[in-house]
Amino acid sequence: MTTNNRIVLSNDHAAIQLRQSIGTHVAALGWEVVDIGPTTQESTNYPKHSEAAAQRVATGDCRLGIILCGTGQGIMMAANKVKGIRCGVCSDTFSARMIRQHNDANMISLGVRVVGEGLALDIVDAYLTTNFEGGRHATRVGMIEALEG
Ligand code: RB5
């Protein structure tokens, strides 16, 4: 298990501003932010940013990751193709707690066209302040991992 305090952030062109707000927010909570951009609003393809962030988590360089696109969906789908990643879209705080408590998600995604900044920061707080419960949920997470081959 990775125990460092680094969290990677990335996004596509739709979500630069929200990434910056989340970065400032999580840094204030004591996390070391690994912001891998992009830095311009030029149209870009979310899978490559998703993969870059997911690799940081999968290799253990970062403990957790938060990725953003218009809906949170495409960037989440790409992240889940990287072995070892468990990422889900969170548009509410209940899901953000549960995805950590029951699913041990090591990444979440948010949709900048779905949630406003205030809710996004609450979702991030819910995700980061919840711990994995283990027990029967560890069995189930193990079953997810087994599907990866
Ligand atoms: C970009 O327009 C948009 O398709 C992307 O941000 C994301 O919503 C894809 O899932």
Side-chain angles (χ1 to χ4, degrees):
M1 190 182 102
T2 306
T3 55
N4 70 53
N5 212 31
R6 279 194 293 280
I7 185 163
V8 62
L9 305 182
S10 194
N11 55 272
D12 71 0
H13 53 277
I16 302 235
Q17 201 177 328
L18 183 58
R19 185 197 75 235
Q20 290 165 343
S21 300
I22 290 174
T24 303
H25 186 74
V26 299
L29 296 175
W31 287 82
E32 183 184 338
V33 175
V34 178
D35 183 335
I36 60 169
T39 55
T40 75
Q41 290 184 340
E42 194 180 330
S43 182
T44 185
N45 300 320
Y46 58 80
K48 68 180 180 186
H49 302 291
S50 184
E51 188 200 356
Q55 291 293 356
R56 295 284 188 135
V57 175
T59 59
D61 179 50
C62 295
R63 178 142 64 103
L64 299 174
I66 299 175
I67 50 179
L68 319 161
C69 67
T71 58
Q73 301 290 355
I75 206 157
M76 174 274 293
M77 291 178 193
N80 280 317
K81 297 295 182 189
V82 174
K83 188 174 167 115
I85 296 303
R86 288 180 302 284
C87 181
V89 179
C90 291
S91 302
D92 63 274
T93 55
F94 178 76
S95 298
R97 280 200 310 279
M98 288 301 116
I99 203 168
R100 193 81 183 279
Q101 192 173 322
H102 285 188
N103 312 116
D104 198 20
N106 45 18
M107 298 183 76
I108 59 167
S109 67
L110 293 102
V112 70
R113 296 171 185 157
V114 181
V115 296
E117 182 179 311
L119 177 56
L121 297 182
D122 280 355
I123 288 169
V124 167
D125 283 344
Y127 174 60
L128 295 180
T129 57
T130 304
N131 292 318
F132 181 46
E133 201 174 284
R136 68 187 188 281
H137 302 295
T139 304
R140 294 163 185 167
V141 169
M143 291 170 73
I144 295 174
E145 288 171 340
L147 293 171
E148 293 177 330

mmCIF file of all heavy atoms in Angstrom, residues 12-14 46 69-71 73-74 113, ligand 1:
data_model
loop_
_atom_site.group_PDB
_atom_site.id
_atom_site.type_symbol
_atom_site.label_atom_id
_atom_site.label_comp_id
_atom_site.label_asym_id
_atom_site.label_seq_id
_atom_site.Cartn_x
_atom_site.Cartn_y
_atom_site.Cartn_z
ATOM 1 N N ASP A 12 -8.894 17.526 -18.660
ATOM 2 C CA ASP A 12 -8.778 17.966 -20.053
ATOM 3 C C ASP A 12 -9.051 19.476 -20.105
ATOM 4 O O ASP A 12 -9.142 20.135 -19.064
ATOM 5 C CB ASP A 12 -9.685 17.150 -20.985
ATOM 6 C CG ASP A 12 -11.171 17.447 -20.811
ATOM 7 O OD1 ASP A 12 -11.527 18.303 -19.960
ATOM 8 O OD2 ASP A 12 -11.978 16.826 -21.523
ATOM 9 N N HIS A 13 -9.200 19.994 -21.308
ATOM 10 C CA HIS A 13 -9.345 21.444 -21.481
ATOM 11 C C HIS A 13 -10.580 22.018 -20.783
ATOM 12 O O HIS A 13 -10.626 23.201 -20.489
ATOM 13 C CB HIS A 13 -9.417 21.777 -22.980
ATOM 14 C CG HIS A 13 -10.474 20.994 -23.699
ATOM 15 N ND1 HIS A 13 -10.250 19.711 -24.150
ATOM 16 C CD2 HIS A 13 -11.764 21.284 -23.990
ATOM 17 C CE1 HIS A 13 -11.350 19.260 -24.723
ATOM 18 N NE2 HIS A 13 -12.287 20.184 -24.632
ATOM 19 N N ALA A 14 -11.574 21.156 -20.521
ATOM 20 C CA ALA A 14 -12.828 21.660 -19.947
ATOM 21 C C ALA A 14 -12.653 22.113 -18.494
ATOM 22 O O ALA A 14 -13.458 22.893 -17.989
ATOM 23 C CB ALA A 14 -13.907 20.582 -20.026
ATOM 24 N N TYR A 46 -8.799 13.713 -23.475
ATOM 25 C CA TYR A 46 -8.741 13.325 -22.064
ATOM 26 C C TYR A 46 -8.050 11.988 -21.787
ATOM 27 O O TYR A 46 -7.444 11.841 -20.730
ATOM 28 C CB TYR A 46 -10.142 13.360 -21.424
ATOM 29 C CG TYR A 46 -11.155 12.484 -22.093
ATOM 30 C CD1 TYR A 46 -11.202 11.125 -21.857
ATOM 31 C CD2 TYR A 46 -12.077 13.015 -22.996
ATOM 32 C CE1 TYR A 46 -12.118 10.318 -22.493
ATOM 33 C CE2 TYR A 46 -12.998 12.219 -23.635
ATOM 34 C CZ TYR A 46 -13.010 10.865 -23.387
ATOM 35 O OH TYR A 46 -13.916 10.061 -24.012
ATOM 36 N N CYS A 69 -13.057 16.130 -16.208
ATOM 37 C CA CYS A 69 -13.353 16.493 -17.597
ATOM 38 C C CYS A 69 -14.755 17.095 -17.594
ATOM 39 O O CYS A 69 -15.268 17.450 -16.532
ATOM 40 C CB CYS A 69 -13.202 15.301 -18.540
ATOM 41 S SG CYS A 69 -14.391 13.968 -18.324
ATOM 42 N N GLY A 70 -15.372 17.225 -18.752
ATOM 43 C CA GLY A 70 -16.676 17.872 -18.796
ATOM 44 C C GLY A 70 -17.701 17.151 -17.939
ATOM 45 O O GLY A 70 -18.423 17.756 -17.153
ATOM 46 N N THR A 71 -17.777 15.847 -18.099
ATOM 47 C CA THR A 71 -18.745 15.043 -17.346
ATOM 48 C C THR A 71 -18.108 14.197 -16.249
ATOM 49 O O THR A 71 -18.817 13.624 -15.419
ATOM 50 C CB THR A 71 -19.441 14.061 -18.302
ATOM 51 O OG1 THR A 71 -18.424 13.247 -18.911
ATOM 52 C CG2 THR A 71 -20.229 14.785 -19.378
ATOM 53 N N GLN A 73 -16.896 11.421 -17.000
ATOM 54 C CA GLN A 73 -17.105 10.043 -17.457
ATOM 55 C C GLN A 73 -15.954 9.517 -18.318
ATOM 56 O O GLN A 73 -15.410 8.437 -18.049
ATOM 57 C CB GLN A 73 -18.417 9.943 -18.252
ATOM 58 C CG GLN A 73 -19.660 10.365 -17.479
ATOM 59 C CD GLN A 73 -20.052 9.406 -16.367
ATOM 60 O OE1 GLN A 73 -19.451 8.349 -16.196
ATOM 61 N NE2 GLN A 73 -21.066 9.760 -15.606
ATOM 62 N N GLY A 74 -15.597 10.261 -19.344
ATOM 63 C CA GLY A 74 -14.568 9.757 -20.253
ATOM 64 C C GLY A 74 -13.236 9.572 -19.558
ATOM 65 O O GLY A 74 -12.552 8.546 -19.726
ATOM 66 N N ARG A 113 -18.919 20.191 -15.833
ATOM 67 C CA ARG A 113 -20.199 20.652 -16.374
ATOM 68 C C ARG A 113 -21.377 20.063 -15.598
ATOM 69 O O ARG A 113 -22.527 20.236 -15.962
ATOM 70 C CB ARG A 113 -20.298 20.289 -17.863
ATOM 71 C CG ARG A 113 -19.238 21.002 -18.700
ATOM 72 C CD ARG A 113 -19.170 20.508 -20.132
ATOM 73 N NE ARG A 113 -18.059 21.134 -20.835
ATOM 74 C CZ ARG A 113 -17.456 20.627 -21.908
ATOM 75 N NH1 ARG A 113 -17.859 19.464 -22.412
ATOM 76 N NH2 ARG A 113 -16.452 21.248 -22.470
HETATM 77 C C1 RB5 B 1 -14.883 17.530 -24.018
HETATM 78 O O1 RB5 B 1 -15.722 18.347 -24.770
HETATM 79 C C2 RB5 B 1 -15.709 16.464 -23.300
HETATM 80 O O2 RB5 B 1 -16.124 15.496 -24.191
HETATM 81 C C3 RB5 B 1 -14.904 15.873 -22.191
HETATM 82 O O3 RB5 B 1 -14.508 16.867 -21.304
HETATM 83 C C4 RB5 B 1 -15.597 14.833 -21.318
HETATM 84 O O4 RB5 B 1 -16.836 15.287 -20.888
HETATM 85 C C5 RB5 B 1 -15.641 13.465 -21.838
HETATM 86 O O5 RB5 B 1 -16.092 12.523 -21.173
#
